[in-house]
C-alpha cells in the first residue's frame, strides 16, 4: 500500500479530450470497435473481435449483468412546461431496489429534477401507453429538497402496474449527460449489454457493450470461463470530482449482488487470472475481498451486518490495509461463503462505496477490459491504480491514433506487468 489516496489531487489525473473524440452514437457492429491492448507496458492496436486471441491463457472474465432501467421521466406542469425527473434510488415503502420496482400504486424515490424552478407546488403529470395498449397516467409531487436532489412522491393509474412497468412504458433511457440528446430506438438496444438480466442500473456498464452472443460463444469454445456479478450502476458514475483532493469527494453507494456459485467459481479458479469486464465488475470483485475481511475482523466498523446486508466505505481498503495483510483472497471468499451458509441464503446482498485510486493493492482482479474515461473522474483514478503512470501513455496513444472515447467509444484490454500467464496451470 502506497500513500493514502485521500491526499491525491484530481488535477493530476486530467488530459485534453476534444469534444469530437467523444462517441455520440454506437457503431453498427458491436465488435467493430477498436481495442487498445496494453500488455506489460507494450501497446497494440486491435479490434474488439480480436479479444479471444489477446486474453491471457486460462483467464476468467467476470461481467456485470445489470440492466439499465428507463429512469428518466419527462413530465409536464399544468401550465405545459416540462419537468425532468431522474429516478436515483427508492425511499418508500421499500429501499430495496428489487421490491421498489415491483411496488404498485404509489412510491417515493430520490430524484434529480431538471427544469424545476417554475415547479412551485402541486403534481406534474405524465401520460403514456403500456406495452399492452392501456392508457396510463403518472402523477409526481415534490416532497422535500435535499442536497441537490428531491424526494418525489409518485402515484399512477392503473394502480395495478408495478413501478418497473411505469418506467418501461413511460420513461427514457438515462443516456450520459455529455451526449446531450434523448434516447432513440437504437439506444434501447445498444445501451444495454446482450447479457443484461437484473433491472436496476441508471447507467450501462459500458465495457460490456462491445460483446455479442457470437463473441461470448467463441470465448467459451476457446476455454475461457465466465461469471456474472450484479452492481446496479448509479448516477454517481457521471458525477465529476469537484473537490481539489479526494478526501473531500464522497463516493456514491451502489448495491451489489453476488451468488454463492460465483464465489465458489472464483475460489476454484485461483490462482489463474481473473479479468473484470468493466470498472463496475472490478469494484464488485475487489469489494468482495474487503467484505470478507470485515467478516473475519468483526470488530471493524467499516463492514457491518444489518438485516443480512454488508456495507463498506470508500476508505476501508486503505484504513484496514495493515489488518488485512495476513488475509488471503481465498480466506476472504471462504468467509463470505460461510456468512451465506449461516444466514441461509445463496446470494450475497451488499453495498459498496469503494474508491479505487493509486495506492490501492488489487486482491482479486488481474486485468481489466474498459472504455476510455473522462478526465478528472473516479473511473480514470481506477485505471491509474491498475496501470500506474503508464495510464498517460495509454491515453496519449488513444488520442493520437484516433480512438473514440467514453460510453459509446472504443475499448481497451489492460494487462499490467503484474499479471501472470498461467497457461501451465490446470
Amino acid at each position: 500500500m502506497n500513500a493514502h489516496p485521500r491526499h491525491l489531487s484530481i488535477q493530476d489525473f486530467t488530459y485534453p479530450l476534444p469534444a469530437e473524440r467523444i462517441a455520440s452514437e454506437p457503431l453498427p457492429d458491436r465488435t467493430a470497435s477498436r481495442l487498445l491492448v496494453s500488455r506489460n507496458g507494450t501497446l497494440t492496436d486491435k479490434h474488439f473481435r480480436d479479444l479471444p486471441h489477446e486474453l491471457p491463457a486460462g483467464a476468467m472474465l467476470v461481467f456485470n449483468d445489470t440492466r439499465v432501467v428507463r429512469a428518466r421521466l419527462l413530465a409536464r406542469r399544468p401550465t405545459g412546461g416540462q419537468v425532468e425527473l431522474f429516478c436515483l434510488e427508492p425511499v418508500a415503502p421499500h429501499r430495496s431496489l428489487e421490491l421498489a420496482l415491483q411496488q404498485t400504486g404509489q412510491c417515493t424515490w430520490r430524484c434529480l429534477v431538471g427544469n424545476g424552478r417554475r415547479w412551485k407546488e402541486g403534481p406534474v403529470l405524465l401520460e403514456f401507453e403500456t406495452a399492452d395498449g392501456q392508457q396510463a397516467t403518472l402523477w409526481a409531487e415534490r416532497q422535500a429538497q435535499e442536497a441537490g436532489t428531491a424526494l418525489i412522491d409518485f402515484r399512477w393509474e392503473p394502480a395495478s402496474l408495478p413501478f418497473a412497468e411505469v418506467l418501461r412504458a413511460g420513461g427514457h433511457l438515462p443516456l450520459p449527460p455529455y451526449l446531450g440528446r434523448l434516447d432513440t430506438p437504437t439506444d434501447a438496444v445498444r445501451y444495454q449489454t446482450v447479457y443484461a438480466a437484473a433491472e436496476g442500473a441508471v447507467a450501462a456498464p459500458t465495457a460490456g457493450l462491445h460483446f455479442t452472443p457470437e463473441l461470448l460463444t467463441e470465448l467459451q469454445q476457446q476455454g475461457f470461463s465466465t461469471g456474472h456479478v450484479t452492481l446496479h450502476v448509479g448516477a454517481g458514475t457521471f458525477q465529476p470530482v469537484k473537490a481539489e483532493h479526494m478526501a473531500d469527494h464522497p463516493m456514491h453507494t451502489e448495491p451489489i449482488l453476488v451468488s454463492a456459485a460465483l464465489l465458489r467459481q472464483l475460489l476454484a479458479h485461483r490462482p489463474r487470472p481473473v479479468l473484470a469486464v468493466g470498472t463496475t465488475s472490478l469494484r464488485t470483485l475487489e469489494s468482495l475481498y474487503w467484505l470478507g475481511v470485515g467478516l473475519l475482523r468483526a470488530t471493524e466498523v467499516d463492514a457491518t451486518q444489518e438485516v443480512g446486508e454488508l456495507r463498506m466505505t470508500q476508505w476501508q481498503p486503505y484504513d484496514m490495509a495493515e489488518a488485512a495483510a495476513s488475509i488471503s483472497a481465498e480466506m476472504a471468499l471462504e468467509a463470505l461463503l460461510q456468512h451465506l451458509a449461516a444466514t441461509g441464503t445463496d446470494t450475497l446482498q451488499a453495498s459498496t462505496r469503494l474508491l479505487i485510486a493509486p495506492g490501492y493493492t488489487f486482491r482479486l482482479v488481474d486485468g481489466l477490459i474498459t472504455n476510455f474515461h473522462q478526465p478528472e473522474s473516479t473511473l480514470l483514478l481506477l485505471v491509474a491504480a491498475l496501470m500506474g503512470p503508464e495510464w498517460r501513455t495509454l491515453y496519449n496513444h488513444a488520442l493520437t491514433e484516433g480512438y473514440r472515447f467514453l460510453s459509446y467509444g472504443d475499448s481497451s484490454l489492460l494487462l499490467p506487468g503484474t499479471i501472470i500467464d498461467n497457461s501451465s496451470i490446470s
Side-chain angles (χ1 to χ4, degrees):
M1 194 71 65
N2 301 319
H4 203 296
R6 278 192 179 97
H7 308 304
L8 290 174
S9 171
I10 195 61
Q11 294 178 1
D12 293 333
F13 298 89
T14 191
Y15 66 91
L17 178 58
E20 63 269 18
R21 302 304 295 278
I22 299 173
S24 60
E25 304 284 345
L27 295 177
D29 177 5
R30 291 178 187 259
T31 63
S33 58
R34 299 177 69 188
L35 178 69
L36 178 53
V37 180
S38 175
R39 180 182 285 103
N40 299 341
T42 300
L43 300 179
T44 309
D45 298 307
K46 296 288 184 176
H47 286 88
F48 204 82
R49 64 175 68 94
D50 301 319
L51 179 67
H53 308 290
E54 299 298 326
L55 294 173
M60 173 182 175
L61 275 64
V62 179
F63 300 83
N64 180 7
D65 66 3
T66 188
R67 174 175 285 276
V68 184
V69 295
R70 301 171 71 89
R72 190 180 185 187
L73 299 166
L74 303 180
R76 294 205 171 271
R77 304 194 310 273
T79 56
Q82 182 173 277
V83 174
E84 178 181 334
L85 302 173
F86 189 159
C87 297
L88 298 179
E89 61 180 2
V91 175
H94 306 289
R95 289 188 177 272
S96 162
L97 186 61
E98 181 179 359
L99 293 176
L101 289 174
Q102 295 309 310
Q103 176 66 26
T104 57
Q106 58 185 15
C107 62
T108 301
W109 280 62
R110 185 179 308 280
C111 299
L112 293 173
V113 179
N115 197 30
R117 289 187 176 183
R118 295 185 180 179
W119 180 21
K120 301 301 182 184
E121 58 183 15
V124 292
L125 176 73
L126 173 62
E127 296 177 314
F128 58 96
E129 186 175 290
T130 65
D132 60 1
Q134 292 185 81
Q135 294 300 310
T137 304
L138 173 72
W139 294 269
E141 193 155 2
R142 183 161 45 193
Q143 180 190 115
Q145 197 81 18
E146 293 182 4
T149 65
L151 297 184
I152 304 294
D153 291 332
F154 293 108
R155 59 183 177 88
W156 57 91
E157 292 288 346
S160 59
L161 292 175
F163 193 59
E165 178 58 26
V166 172
L167 294 179
R168 275 194 290 268
H172 293 265
L173 280 176
L175 294 181
Y178 51 73
L179 292 184
R181 62 177 178 83
L182 283 177
D183 57 322
T184 67
T186 297
D187 295 311
V189 176
R190 293 303 305 279
Y191 198 61
Q192 300 278 14
T193 63
V194 298
Y195 48 82
E199 282 195 320
V202 298
T206 55
L209 298 180
H210 306 283
F211 287 85
T212 62
E214 294 77 15
L215 183 59
L216 292 171
T217 297
E218 183 180 352
L219 289 169
Q220 292 180 338
Q221 291 174 343
Q222 295 202 18
F224 296 106
S225 57
T226 60
H228 293 85
V229 297
T230 303
L231 181 146
H232 291 309
V233 190
T237 193
F238 301 131
Q239 180 182 351
V241 178
K242 297 179 180 179
E244 183 177 349
H245 293 95
M246 294 310 299
D248 299 318
H249 175 76
M251 283 291 286
H252 50 288
T253 300
E254 292 169 313
I256 60 177
L257 296 94
V258 179
S259 68
L262 189 279
L263 297 174
R264 288 190 288 267
Q265 186 181 0
L266 287 168
L267 268 172
H269 188 81
R270 293 186 62 81
R272 289 168 291 180
V274 172
L275 272 61
V277 178
T279 58
T280 58
S281 297
L282 188 150
R283 290 179 63 243
T284 303
L285 289 169
E286 291 296 313
S287 294
L288 292 178
Y289 172 79
W290 293 104
L291 291 170
V293 169
L295 288 171
L296 290 168
R297 300 187 60 86
T299 57
E300 299 291 343
V301 297
D302 286 334
T304 58
Q305 183 180 342
E306 182 179 332
V307 198
E309 181 177 316
L310 298 175
R311 301 178 181 182
M312 62 176 299
T313 71
Q314 70 187 68
W315 303 120
Q316 181 180 335
Y318 311 97
D319 296 339
M320 294 181 64
E322 185 175 347
S326 61
I327 299 177
S328 67
E330 289 82 358
M331 293 168 63
L333 292 171
E334 288 283 7
L336 292 173
L337 284 168
Q338 291 171 14
H339 169 74
L340 291 181
T343 54
T345 180
D346 61 0
T347 300
L348 176 72
Q349 297 189 40
S351 61
T352 182
R353 294 177 58 207
L354 175 61
L355 171 67
I356 296 180
Y360 182 85
T361 300
F362 289 86
R363 305 290 183 146
L364 282 174
V365 174
D366 300 289
L368 174 66
I369 297 169
T370 190
N371 288 12
F372 296 96
H373 304 295
Q374 294 189 79
E376 299 184 10
S377 65
T378 57
L379 304 182
L380 186 57
L381 284 176
L382 184 152
V383 171
L386 182 68
M387 303 304 293
E390 184 191 331
W391 78 265
R392 288 194 177 278
T393 304
L394 182 84
Y395 273 63
N396 286 339
H397 179 95
L399 287 166
T400 301
E401 297 301 319
Y403 281 73
R404 301 160 73 243
F405 278 60
L406 306 188
S407 295
Y408 274 145
D410 294 318
S411 188
S412 63
L413 170 62
L414 307 181
L415 305 173
T418 53
I419 198 167
I420 301 172
D421 185 348
N422 290 290
S423 57
S424 62
I425 299 175
S426 59

